[in-house]
Amino acid sequence: MTNATDKDEITESSAEPRLGPWTISTIDFGLFISMALVLIFICSTLGLKIVEWIPALKALSTDDLLSTILGGYGLQLGSILAFVLFARLVATQNNDNPVPIKKAISVGLASLVVCYCVLIAFVPLWKLLLQGLNIPFEIQEPVQMLLDGGSPLEMALMYILIVVGAPLGEELLFRGGIFRFLNSRISMPYAAIASSILFGLVHFNVYSFGPLVILGLAMCFVYYKTGSLFANITLHAAFNLMNLIFISITNSKELV
């Protein structure tokens, strides 16, 4: 005999989608994007200037690496501030049914295994395609910075930026903002493809574009199925951490 608790669990597990429609106007979404661009510009510019304003930091910097890292923090901070301020300023409604945080985190970690297996097969094919088109290989700037190294402070800040800052800022902007808006206007697959292509483009590296689109699709799917940003932030952070470990072990330049 099925009790009330079992019925609740069955109802909850069958509820689709976890990510409900986002009742936001196109004008308000334009406001969100505008806020993001302005705050990203302001915060990243301030980050780049901090070392100039604080002379004591110059002694800790290797070839302006610290300025570049702080600029990266500013970029992600701008995205986070835009998301938080927009949520405060603009009243929106949704019918989300997110999974609990612990489950969202476990789903994100489990999805990492699937995502990595797909990318292991996809990356060599993408590389062969680009080589066939005579497109020269270009290393991603963050990877080059890691390989070049820096002071202990710079390396620590870089690791935190890659594993914590980037997943937070990029997931709030691309999945919590752009994908969610598109998902409320067009079908989920097209919303995921469009936002993932944009996600790949903003990294400005043709060799990482294809793998980043795949990664973006995975994070859109995880967010859609769980209704929780904790899931795709966990996936993104764990993915970046795995890449950091791989770089440290192999000194490879050909990473996503």
Side-chain angles (χ1 to χ4, degrees), residues 3 35 59 75 79 167 196 211:
N3 57 36
M35 288 175 59
L75 189 152
S79 299
S196 298

Side-chain angles (χ1 to χ4, degrees), residues 96-251:
D96 293 347
N97 181 29
V99 301
I101 294 176
K102 287 185 178 180
K103 181 173 179 59
I105 293 173
S106 65
V107 169
L109 292 174
S111 300
L112 173 68
V113 178
V114 177
C115 189
Y116 237 94
C117 289
V118 172
L119 285 171
I120 286 173
F122 176 80
V123 169
L125 297 176
W126 179 251
K127 179 183 175 183
L128 285 174
L129 173 63
L130 296 180
Q131 289 177 340
L133 296 173
N134 294 319
I135 298 176
F137 175 74
E138 182 181 357
I139 190 171
Q140 283 194 76
E141 183 181 5
V143 176
Q144 186 63 62
M145 289 165 60
L146 286 168
L147 293 174
D148 291 341
S151 68
L153 173 63
E154 290 168 330
M155 298 305 292
L157 288 174
M158 199 183 309
Y159 293 156
I160 295 171
L161 175 61
I162 292 172
V163 178
V164 180
L168 280 173
E170 292 177 358
E171 291 311 304
L172 291 179
L173 178 61
F174 287 97
R175 258 61 66 177
I178 296 173
F179 166 70
R180 179 144 202 202
F181 172 76
L182 294 175
N183 185 56
S184 299
R185 297 298 192 278
I186 57 179
S187 64
M188 185 273 183
Y190 289 114
I193 291 170
S195 61
S196 298
I197 288 175
L198 181 60
F199 176 65
L201 287 173
V202 300
H203 286 78
F204 303 107
N205 185 287
V206 67
Y207 268 79
S208 66
F209 171 75
L212 284 172
V213 170
I214 299 297
L215 179 62
L217 290 171
M219 292 186 290
C220 287
F221 181 79
V222 168
Y223 183 33
Y224 180 80
K225 284 299 183 181
T226 63
S228 172
L229 282 167
F230 285 102
N232 44 300
I233 289 173
T234 299
L235 169 57
H236 197 157
F239 180 83
N240 284 3
L241 177 60
M242 288 291 292
N243 273 350
L244 277 178
I245 294 173
F246 194 79
I247 290 172
S248 299
I249 295 175
T250 66
N251 286 326

Side-chain angles (χ1 to χ4, degrees), residues 30-44 78 82 173:
L31 173 63
F32 168 69
I33 295 299
S34 298
M35 288 175 59
L37 292 174
V38 170
L39 288 171
I40 285 172
F41 174 77
I42 293 173
C43 292
S44 59
L173 178 61

